[in-house]
């Protein structure tokens, strides 16, 4: 870490003014507004638990991190699915969604994984991350995909469907439209009653709202007070260092992440790292750090915290934020496995914010 880099002493509200990425500017303002530099790693196993947890812990956090592929029952519907519901909770409580997908592949493949496929991550996750072992071109590929997506979604597709007689409800229960057992057929073998005309009309209209899909569910329209909705820009974090024991990421790899971030400031918001990596005079990247846990309440606040026995290593918010200079701590089991996750999240928020105030003096 470069000890005296100016960003270590600057309040988030100041860094909001100079960050290049629109989403970083927004996130710094949100942190200042909510007095929070806490990210919840929502590693639960069902979509229902995920949504309940996001709703309960949302007031304490500025980022909610997902691993969509460990959630069973994830609903992929782009209009009403889990991503859309999560986005509604993000608006209501004021947090950004970070899908911890750790993309790593050739550029063309990551473009498709990011924007298409089952999960269509780009549509509901403001932020995602990449391991750049495959080379820096991958970052350019993802940046291009994000720019194309943003240009496209400025035009919302209005689809109207008009269907001739009969409508689906006119079929008897259990009756298939391609029923071949009936006796009232015409000479083509079709049932006389199901001849229909379907007209699909699509038009592209400028979208005036910075959101993609809205569910019709109660509460979907609530928006966190004090700040506008986030910009439609998507952001990338580079996985520059990991918290796990024996991690093979070398200093050269981390340095390559720093170079890639500087080359793609319009898309790269910063890093997932174990320490601050800003070193050039105008670096103002944001750092998020997993492997964070507090000793249980009542124990020495800055004491040693054991790992999880599977390679995960933990540091306290005070060490990560005040000493090592990270901006946002990422906490999973420390909050999720507590008896009362919302109050434990508040405890983490308070300690992490205090560590930041100590750092900036
Ligand atoms: P926990 O606080 O329960 O140990 O969870 C940490 C979370 O952060 C997990 O979702 C893990 O995948 C992620 N993570 C990590 O622990 N270390 C890293 O270096 C990078 C991560 O994304």
């Amino acid at each position: 870490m470069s000890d005296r880099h100016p960003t270590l002493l600057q309040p988030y509200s100041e860094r909001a003014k100079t960050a290049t990425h629109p989403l970083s500017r927004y996130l710094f303002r949100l942190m200042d507004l909510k007095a929070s530099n806490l990210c919840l790693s929502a590693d639960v196993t069902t979509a229902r638990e995920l949504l309940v947890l996001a709703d309960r812990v949302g007031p304490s956090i500025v980022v909610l991190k997902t691993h969509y592929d460990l959630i069973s029952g994830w609903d992929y519907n782009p209009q009403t699915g889990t991503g859309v519901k999560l986005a509604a909770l993000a608006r209501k409580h004021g947090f950004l969604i970070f899908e911890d997908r750790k993309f790593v592949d050739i550029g063309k493949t990551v473009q498709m994984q990011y924007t298409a496929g089952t999960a269509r991550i780009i549509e509901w996750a403001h932020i995602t991350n990449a391991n750049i072992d495959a080379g820096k071109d991958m970052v350019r590929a993802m940046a291009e995909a994000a720019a194309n997506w943003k240009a496209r979604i400025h035009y919302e597709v209005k689809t109207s469907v008009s269907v001739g007689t009969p409508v689906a409800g006119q079929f008897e229960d259990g009756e298939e439209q391609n029923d071949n057992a009936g006796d009232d057929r015409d000479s083509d073998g079709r049932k006389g009653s199901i001849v229909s005309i379907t007209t699909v009309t699509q038009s592209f209209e400028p979208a005036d709202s910075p959101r993609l899909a809205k569910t019709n569910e109660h509460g979907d329209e609530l928006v966190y007070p004090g700040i506008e909705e986030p910009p439609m820009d998507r952001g990338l974090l580079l996985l520059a260092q990991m918290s796990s024991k024996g991690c093979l990421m070398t200093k050269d790899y981390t340095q390559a992440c720093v170079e890639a971030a500087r080359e793609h400031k319009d898309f790269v918001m910063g890093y997932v790292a174990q320490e601050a990596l800003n070193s050039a005079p105008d670096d103002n990247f944001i750092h998020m750090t997993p492997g964070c846990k507090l000793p249980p309440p009542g124990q020495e606040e800055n004491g040693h915290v054991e790992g999880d026995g599977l390679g995960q290593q933990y540091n306290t918010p005070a060490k990560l934020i005040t000493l090592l200079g990270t901006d946002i701590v990422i906490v999973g089991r420390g909050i999720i496995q507590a008896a009362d996750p919302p109050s434990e999240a508040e405890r983490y928020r308070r300690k992490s914010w205090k560590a930041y105030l100590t750092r900036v003096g």
Side-chain angles (χ1 to χ4, degrees), residues 41 43 65 67 100 102 129 239 241-244 272 274 290-292 312 314 330-334:
S41 184
D43 300 332
K65 186 174 85 60
H67 281 294
D100 188 1
K102 299 184 179 75
N129 58 354
L239 185 67
Q241 296 167 328
M242 288 194 70
S243 58
S244 42
V272 172
Q274 293 295 305
C292 178
Q312 176 67 302
Y314 291 110
I330 299 175
V331 183
R333 285 164 287 181

Side-chain angles (χ1 to χ4, degrees), residues 87-101:
L89 291 171
R91 279 195 297 278
K92 173 177 159 192
H93 293 298
F95 59 77
L96 298 181
I97 304 166
F98 163 23
E99 166 55 31
D100 188 1
R101 174 62 179 75

